[in-house]
Amino acid sequence: MVNLKKRGLLRGLPLMAVSLVAVLSSCGPKEVAVAPPPPPPVIVIPPRPMPPLGAAPNMTVPALAVDGSRHTVNSGVSQAQALWNLRSAYNVAALNCLGPQYEPILAGYKDFLKKHAKSLTATNKALDKEFRTRFGAKSVREREAYQTQVYNYFALPPVVPALCNAAMGLAVDLQAVPAGQLDGFAVSGLAKAEAPFKEFFNSYDQYRADLAAWESRYGAASATSGAAAPVAAAGTQPKVAAQAFAQ
């Protein structure tokens, strides 16, 4: 005869085994939740540097020398040439600075030609002699070619508005120059006319340096993202004198 107490104990063994397994399972290592990897950093690409004053992105400007100077069409010229180049700059301004605020330029230029007619005529003859001495039979062609460079220089589209502002000051200065004393004003007057152009060349050099730094840091990322390079706006071609030596 089976002992009932033992029989009841045996019946409880499976339940005890299940409970023991559950307890042992609860004592094992718990899984630790793993955080997802952080998203890749967002690269913020600043705008691509643009040429100053809406200039073309591939312009060639006079190089800056070690001493900080730039060799332009006005560098190293004689006093007679400096005066004639000043006249050329004034001429370009008179042809292109046509807004109501610039009326003193055209009026001043006309007065300049009348007041200093003798000095300008003498200067023109002196320059003919200089070019004949340097170039002989080719003097006329060489002078016309050089003077075309001078007019094109002062008609550089991005700088013409700044030339207009400079010419406003020149118009006032030239009114104070007595007839027959124009030679003494030529060098300083030409420097005032050329100052906006040298400022532009400095800003263009800075643009190229900024662009090189931008391309070095962001060029590859910009190409990957498919960002298109902006196109600089084209300026209107200023007017230049039809006759370089006409008075």
Side-chain angles (χ1 to χ4, degrees):
M1 183 174 182
V2 179
N3 190 319
L4 294 178
K5 290 183 179 182
K6 291 182 179 181
R7 191 173 184 181
L9 182 60
L10 292 174
R11 288 180 179 176
L13 285 177
L15 295 177
M16 292 175 62
V18 171
S19 300
L20 181 59
V21 171
V23 172
L24 292 176
S25 298
S26 65
C27 295
K30 296 182 179 179
E31 294 184 0
V32 179
V34 178
V42 178
I43 300 177
V44 179
I45 302 178
R48 192 172 190 268
M50 294 289 290
L53 303 178
N58 57 348
M59 281 187 61
T60 300
V61 301
L64 190 65
V66 177
D67 62 357
S69 64
R70 292 182 190 274
H71 184 81
T72 71
V73 293
N74 299 302
S75 299
V77 298
S78 65
Q79 183 169 317
Q81 190 66 68
L83 175 53
W84 205 255
N85 288 5
L86 171 61
R87 175 191 178 279
S88 301
Y90 206 179
N91 191 0
V92 172
L95 288 170
N96 290 277
C97 308
L98 303 178
Q101 71 273 30
Y102 297 130
E103 288 181 0
I105 296 177
L106 181 57
Y109 180 68
K110 292 179 179 178
D111 181 67
F112 166 79
L113 294 180
K114 293 178 182 178
K115 182 179 179 180
H116 300 287
K118 291 183 178 180
S119 295
L120 293 171
T121 299
T123 299
N124 190 29
K125 291 180 180 179
L127 286 175
D128 280 341
K129 184 178 180 179
E130 287 183 10
F131 275 81
R132 280 197 303 270
T133 301
R134 293 173 60 191
F135 300 104
K138 299 179 181 179
S139 62
V140 174
R141 184 181 65 186
E142 291 294 333
R143 187 180 176 191
E144 289 180 348
Y146 170 76
Q147 201 62 39
T148 298
Q149 293 180 43
V150 173
Y151 274 104
N152 288 339
Y153 178 88
F154 285 114
L156 186 63
V159 197
V160 166
L163 172 65
C164 293
N165 294 331
M168 288 288 287
L170 282 172
V172 175
D173 294 341
L174 285 166
Q175 285 179 350
V177 178
Q181 299 184 25
L182 193 56
D183 289 347
F185 181 77
V187 175
S188 62
L190 179 60
K192 290 183 178 180
E194 192 176 23
F197 296 86
K198 292 187 174 181
E199 291 177 3
F200 169 75
F201 298 148
N202 290 339
S203 63
Y204 202 90
D205 279 348
Q206 185 61 54
Y207 149 72
R208 289 193 294 197
D210 293 342
L211 179 61
W214 187 93
E215 290 286 359
S216 176
R217 184 170 184 180
Y218 303 108
S222 176
T224 302
S225 64
V231 178
T236 302
Q237 182 66 33
K239 300 176 182 178
V240 297
Q243 295 294 329
F245 309 125
Q247 295 193 26

